[in-house]
Amino acid sequence: MIYLDNSATTKPYKEVLDTFMKVNETLYANPSSIHSFGGKADDLIKRSREQVADLLGVEGSEVFFTSGGTESNNLAVKGTAMQYKNRGRHIITSRIEHPSVKKAVEDLEAFGFRITYVGVDEDGRVDPREIAAALTDDTILVSIMHVNNEVGTIQPIREIGALLNERPKTLFHVDAVQACGKIPLDLHAAGVDMCSLSSHKIHGIKGTGVLYVRSGVRLSPLLSGGEQEGSLRSGTENTGGIAAFAKALRMHLKEREESLPHMEEIKGYLRKGLSKLPYVTVHTPEINSAPHILNFSIEGFKGEVMVHSLDRHGIYLSTTSACSSRQHKPSETLLAMGVSDVRANSSLRVSLSFHTTMQEARTFLETLEREIQSLTKTMRRSR
Amino acid sequence: MKYNRILVRYGEISTKGRNRKKFTSQLRGNILEALKDQPSISVNASRDRLHILLGEADGDDVITRLSSIFGIQSFSPVVMTGRDVDEMMEAGLALVKKSFEPGKTFKVSARRGDKTFHLDTNELNYQIGSYILKNMEDLTVDVRNPDIKLNVEVRKEGVYLSSEIYPGATGMPVGASGKAMLMLSGGIDSPVAGYLTMKRGVEIDAVHFHSPPFTSERAKQKVIDLSKKLSAFSGKVNLHIVPFTAIQQLIHDQVPENYTMTSTRRMMLRITDMIREKHEGLAIVTGESLGQVASQTLESMQAINDVTNTPVLRPLIAMDKLEIIEIAQKIDTHDISILPYEDCCTIFTPPAPKTRPKREKVQYYESFVNFDELIREAVEKTEIMQIDGSSHKEESFDDLL
């Protein structure tokens, strides 16, 4: 099996699964219970929070555990809107955000919020000047992703942060789910007020995420209840998932140190190999893109067809993002980049992990080339 | 470029006369204690300044930890070079680059501790300054009000260059003024009282009253965590955990309800005083603030203080709650203090404690039973924990994380 769909999800580290199992076997007490057993579970969460904060270079009190990237994004966007609606009702985001941001701001329109969507250039990059131009006295939130999940473009987070530096009333949310562990980001230095992370994108376990909330920022919670996580996110804590997140983040960042050059080498090799193949266009920009994502299209083939044909060889990749691939719509990100409808319909995404090997990349390229050749024959005949 | 050493300037110590040497050696010891996990560090203390030689240690980490040690007015990371002008110019350039942002101004301020050096201060300023100007863009000289001041000090043994000055925690080195026992409940006030006392150079031992099953392990852990925060200012804190259940029950059975609070405080003070004597402390510190709760009226204080002649220091006595909370947040104890576990002060609080207790009355109520024996036993069975920056309990999770 060759797994090249790591932007959809990653394989949990063995050690992370061990942690999850062990916590659920031996520390299953409710962390809110006042007996010492509950206290121990609570201590583990505390330690996990400190570890995550240390690794991110922030304070423990700024780390909130959620159920994942979607919840973190919803909490950041809607929590800001509800908390600060009297300051203003204007939100700026981009056309290429993940659905959990895009749909969240759409929901807010029904409550009288006005949304400005900034576009992207042909590399899929937001222009900070466009954000500057869209800012009004009414703007309470700017939400921009760090790395685009479909094409891997890195957004100019520092520049946008600097732009908002003089505007304490405009909060800055960054969806860093795809960037985490791949592209370093100093949250304090970049002027980020909120940042979403997800465990299963860094070899953790599905169902756990983090929202960083800068000290001093208040959010209106989405869930009412037992006031866990500083009342920001009620619900019994997923102790195992939280510890697993802390461990996955530590291991992933460590692995980055050792394996990033290798990943970049494989990405470079794939980019070169893909551009040589007939009918192929690579959409991921050459510079300023994440080391693990490559998006390309094969003219004349629906992306889905190619996913299925590679599937038969045990090679797994995606059309666009896993989240929208079942909607049978062309990638909005590619359309926003000015890619044609037809091209966008035939796009494919390869996403690597630090465990992807050069041999796997080679096999993938060879198989892809053969499949293109054989499918071309079939398609020609049917024409 | 790597820092070789950190130059530490004393605060108030340098105004002291004959005791100065005691103060500087105390400060030296405290710094070593706070940095003891970095074996390559050594500290040289002299009359008016102190040098931390970093060896292999990470300068930035040391800077973070130095900022909470009392007795330091300010400190500067320093690069040491030989007495070679080329070397000085390179190091100077690297230092200025470190704090540079476009549009900033700078000046070189040379001093010669050793007057035999072949360049005088003007020549040094000129040579080093022009080299830096030549090699950097967007940097200008401002001799009156520079953003970056590069200090170059030529001494016999070498040349010290520095450009950053960090503020210290000021105050007196902890331990320079003897030792006191801090009654640490787990609330917001007592850690602040401990912090302020430490700032005046007093070494703190914490005393906590533990009444299982009325108070929980988590309340105890809270006090351990608070002690750990306090230890950041001194290197370490001894925590005395007094088994208090039997005494609390006896008070409850023996003393009329509206006087139990007064009596409880008296017993706590007696025990703390005995522990103080045993460990050679000179005073007792409490977090009392006038008028805050029933036990903190002047009448109440008089009835409670009746049991000892030892000085009871109350650094918060005239402070408002909000002022106290502000300090608690600054020293990072606030969030621990507000965790909602019952502690020795909250568990047996009567519905209507006497705000103006009479000393004679409480003496009379206590006179029917022999508390002395129980008190002696409690002191004997007191558990002592040494708390420093590294924690014991939490390590059990290392395999999970």
Side-chain angles (χ1 to χ4, degrees):
Chain A
M1 177 178 102
I2 298 178
Y3 184 75
L4 296 173
D5 197 15
N6 289 283
S7 288
T9 197
T10 50
K11 182 182 179 185
Y13 290 121
K14 170 80 173 57
E15 294 86 339
V16 164
L17 287 173
D18 288 347
T19 286
F20 187 77
M21 284 298 285
K22 201 166 163 201
V23 171
N24 281 290
E25 270 167 12
T26 62
L27 265 179
Y28 53 84
N30 189 323
S32 298
S33 293
I34 60 167
H35 45 67
S36 59
F37 191 25
K40 212 169 163 201
D42 195 32
D43 282 347
L44 176 62
I45 292 177
K46 201 169 106 196
R47 272 290 303 280
S48 305
R49 195 186 310 280
E50 281 164 12
Q51 178 163 315
V52 170
D54 271 359
L55 292 167
L56 298 178
V58 302
E59 298 298 320
S61 55
E62 298 176 317
V63 172
F64 297 87
F65 291 108
T66 66
S67 67
T70 293
E71 190 190 323
S72 293
N73 282 341
N74 270 271
L75 178 55
V77 170
K78 293 178 181 166
T80 301
M82 290 307 150
Q83 180 72 31
Y84 296 111
K85 57 180 183 286
N86 293 332
R87 275 188 188 173
R89 296 191 173 218
H90 179 227
I91 293 171
I92 301 173
T93 187
S94 84
R95 284 191 193 290
I96 60 161
E97 295 301 311
H98 188 266
S100 54
V101 167
K102 200 182 286 178
K103 298 239 168 80
V105 296
E106 278 169 20
D107 289 349
L108 288 170
E109 285 186 303
F111 292 89
F113 288 86
R114 193 165 62 81
I115 318 295
T116 300
Y117 298 91
V118 296
V120 293
D121 62 16
E122 65 270 26
D123 282 347
R125 192 166 297 113
V126 168
D127 186 344
R129 283 172 302 187
E130 216 177 306
I131 291 176
L135 284 167
T136 71
D137 286 345
D138 217 27
T139 312
I140 52 170
L141 175 69
V142 173
S143 177
I144 300 289
M145 67 197 338
H146 189 190
V147 163
N148 178 269
N149 53 316
E150 295 184 47
V151 294
T153 304
I154 302 171
Q155 301 299 339
I157 297 304
R158 287 192 69 112
E159 285 93 319
I160 300 168
L163 192 75
L164 299 174
N165 204 12
E166 310 279 296
R167 304 177 61 98
K169 275 160 72 178
T170 308
L171 297 183
F172 184 24
H173 167 243
V174 173
D175 167 5
V177 165
Q178 284 298 339
C180 179
K182 313 292 193 307
I183 312 294
L185 178 63
D186 183 334
L187 292 166
H188 287 171
V192 175
D193 295 301
M194 291 164 280
C195 179
S196 306
L197 304 175
S198 168
S199 186
H200 75 99
K201 310 284 189 187
I202 53 168
H203 306 279
I205 291 168
K206 292 165 196 70
T208 313
V210 155
L211 182 65
Y212 155 81
V213 182
R214 181 177 59 74
S215 130
V217 172
R218 293 174 62 88
L219 296 180
S220 184
L222 301 181
L223 304 178
S224 316
E227 308 201 332
Q228 288 88 349
E229 293 296 301
S231 298
L232 191 57
R233 204 276 177 184
S234 289
T236 301
E237 295 94 335
N238 173 3
T239 318
I242 286 170
F245 182 100
K247 188 167 194 169
L249 184 62
R250 175 177 67 74
M251 291 180 64
H252 192 55
L253 293 180
K254 175 88 189 121
E255 207 169 19
R256 173 179 197 275
E257 278 172 31
E258 294 151 5
S259 309
L260 187 64
H262 188 55
M263 184 186 256
E264 274 165 347
E265 193 189 339
I266 294 176
K267 186 188 165 197
Y269 167 79
L270 283 174
R271 171 186 287 281
K272 217 166 142 196
L274 284 169
S275 359
K276 280 188 197 147
L277 291 181
Y279 317 114
V280 168
T281 308
V282 177
H283 300 296
T284 298
E286 190 140 14
I287 51 163
N288 271 328
S289 63
H292 64 302
I293 298 178
L294 258 182
N295 188 304
F296 60 98
S297 58
I298 311 171
E299 196 186 351
F301 299 97
K302 280 214 159 143
E304 195 190 321
V305 173
M306 197 50 84
V307 168
H308 295 318
S309 52
L310 289 169
D311 195 314
R312 289 182 307 183
H313 301 276
I315 298 175
Y316 304 112
L317 45 78
S318 285
T319 50
T320 56
S321 66
C323 305
S324 42
S325 54
R326 281 165 186 266
Q327 291 162 6
H328 300 289
K329 280 190 286 189
S331 152
E332 286 184 43
T333 302
L334 289 174
L335 295 180
M337 289 162 65
V339 175
S340 71
D341 254 45
V342 187
R343 273 278 177 201
N345 247 323
S346 29
S347 71
L348 290 164
R349 178 187 67 180
V350 168
S351 46
L352 315 175
S353 81
F354 289 131
H355 311 145
T356 307
T357 63
M358 193 54 109
Q359 182 55 51
E360 288 175 328
R362 216 171 282 138
T363 310
F364 158 69
L365 269 185
E366 287 161 10
T367 316
L368 182 68
E369 186 169 11
R370 277 205 309 276
E371 285 299 311
I372 292 177
Q373 279 164 2
S374 82
L375 283 174
T376 315
K377 276 185 214 148
T378 326
M379 306 279 265
R380 287 227 182 94
R381 251 200 320 255
S382 70
R383 243 177 227 168
Chain B
M1 182 198 54
K2 187 182 164 309
Y3 300 125
N4 310 91
R5 53 174 67 202
I6 294 176
L7 166 71
V8 174
R9 300 175 198 85
Y10 305 142
E12 217 170 294
I13 308 176
S14 49
T15 64
K16 307 289 171 200
R18 261 187 290 168
N19 286 327
R20 187 195 329 226
K21 192 152 185 203
K22 203 179 105 196
F23 291 138
T24 55
S25 86
Q26 184 73 46
L27 179 59
R28 178 174 179 276
N30 293 354
I31 290 174
L32 280 172
E33 179 72 33
L35 302 174
K36 70 176 171 195
D37 57 332
Q38 308 261 21
S40 69
I41 280 181
S42 61
V43 177
N44 291 335
S46 70
R47 231 184 114 71
D48 43 20
R49 50 178 49 181
L50 175 152
H51 290 275
I52 300 172
L53 310 182
L54 290 172
E56 303 303 311
D58 169 22
D60 292 321
D61 177 42
V62 173
I63 286 170
T64 317
R65 287 197 262 173
L66 274 187
S67 57
S68 58
I69 297 177
F70 291 123
I72 296 176
Q73 190 64 32
S74 67
F75 57 94
S76 299
V78 177
V79 177
M80 186 188 176
T81 70
R83 294 161 49 111
D84 172 71
V85 180
D86 287 344
E87 245 186 277
M88 290 154 70
M89 293 191 304
E90 280 308 325
L93 179 64
L95 273 171
V96 173
K97 270 190 180 155
K98 204 167 176 225
S99 14
F100 176 72
E101 278 162 38
K104 279 204 168 178
T105 59
F106 91 116
K107 82 175 225 185
V108 181
S109 169
R111 270 172 56 193
R112 291 188 309 163
D114 171 21
K115 304 287 183 209
T116 65
F117 191 72
H118 70 278
L119 295 176
D120 70 16
T121 51
N122 282 334
E123 290 165 332
L124 271 171
N125 286 344
Y126 177 76
Q127 279 231 4
I128 299 172
S130 56
Y131 179 77
I132 291 170
L133 274 179
K134 226 180 291 163
N135 285 284
M136 287 185 72
E137 282 182 21
D138 251 354
L139 180 73
T140 50
V141 174
D142 179 350
V143 289
R144 289 239 173 79
N145 224 338
D147 299 316
I148 306 166
K149 188 173 158 200
L150 176 68
N151 290 302
V152 179
E153 196 171 336
V154 181
R155 293 196 167 210
K156 278 213 164 55
E157 67 276 17
V159 181
Y160 302 110
L161 297 101
S162 68
S163 66
E164 302 147 283
I165 296 185
Y166 293 88
T170 67
M172 300 281 290
V174 174
S177 317
K179 180 157 82 176
M181 318 310 277
L182 168 70
M183 297 176 73
L184 190 62
S185 63
I188 293 172
D189 301 344
S190 44
V192 174
Y195 161 80
L196 291 173
T197 311
M198 283 170 148
K199 190 169 180 183
R200 294 314 304 160
V202 179
E203 183 187 345
I204 290 293
D205 268 23
V207 179
H208 178 70
F209 293 86
H210 186 42
S211 302
F214 303 107
T215 65
S216 66
E217 281 303 305
R218 300 178 78 175
K220 184 172 150 187
Q221 184 60 40
K222 212 173 126 175
V223 172
I224 294 172
D225 293 342
L226 288 172
S227 305
K228 208 162 103 187
K229 291 284 178 197
L230 288 178
S231 75
F233 301 99
S234 61
K236 65 171 196 303
V237 164
N238 291 320
L239 172 62
H240 305 258
I241 304 212
V242 183
F244 198 54
T245 315
I247 296 174
Q248 245 175 338
Q249 276 170 323
L250 185 60
I251 294 170
H252 206 63
D253 293 344
Q254 197 57 44
V255 177
E257 195 184 60
N258 55 355
Y259 268 91
T260 52
M261 185 269 303
T262 310
S263 192
T264 307
R265 301 294 154 113
R266 283 162 59 93
M267 297 307 157
M268 288 176 171
L269 194 55
R270 284 176 68 183
I271 292 170
T272 306
D273 206 21
M274 281 177 75
I275 295 174
R276 173 201 63 76
E277 203 174 343
K278 201 168 153 186
H279 295 275
E280 295 165 352
L282 298 167
I284 293 168
V285 181
T286 76
E288 286 163 306
S289 156
L290 202 55
Q292 218 186 82
V293 290
S295 64
Q296 297 175 16
T297 61
L298 287 178
E299 288 87 348
S300 193
M301 277 182 211
Q302 197 180 40
I304 295 166
N305 216 144
D306 183 42
V307 299
T308 177
N309 284 326
T310 305
V312 177
L313 311 178
R314 301 176 173 93
L316 310 185
I317 197 70
M319 274 193 197
D320 289 346
K321 193 74 185 180
L322 290 178
E323 298 173 281
I324 298 170
I325 288 175
E326 202 173 300
I327 301 177
Q329 281 165 339
K330 192 180 91 183
I331 63 173
D332 207 17
T333 55
H334 177 265
D335 290 358
I336 303 173
S337 291
I338 59 173
L339 294 173
Y341 313 125
E342 297 282 2
D343 65 41
C344 53
C345 299
T346 55
I347 193 72
F348 284 122
T349 313
K354 203 86 177 145
T355 53
R356 294 180 176 179
K358 299 262 181 311
R359 172 173 31 181
E360 296 73 21
K361 276 200 173 171
V362 69
Q363 281 170 350
Y364 171 74
Y365 296 138
E366 287 170 6
S367 67
F368 295 95
V369 280
N370 185 5
F371 279 104
D372 298 357
E373 190 53 40
L374 280 177
I375 285 178
R376 205 170 304 128
E377 200 183 323
V379 171
E380 255 165 47
K381 290 191 176 158
T382 292
E383 177 195 357
I384 304 179
M385 304 172 77
Q386 203 188 85
I387 313 285
D388 55 28
S390 58
S391 168
H392 343 267
K393 199 196 166 189
E394 293 179 341
E395 273 158 32
S396 57
F397 292 134
D398 282 357
D399 59 322
L400 291 174
L401 295 174

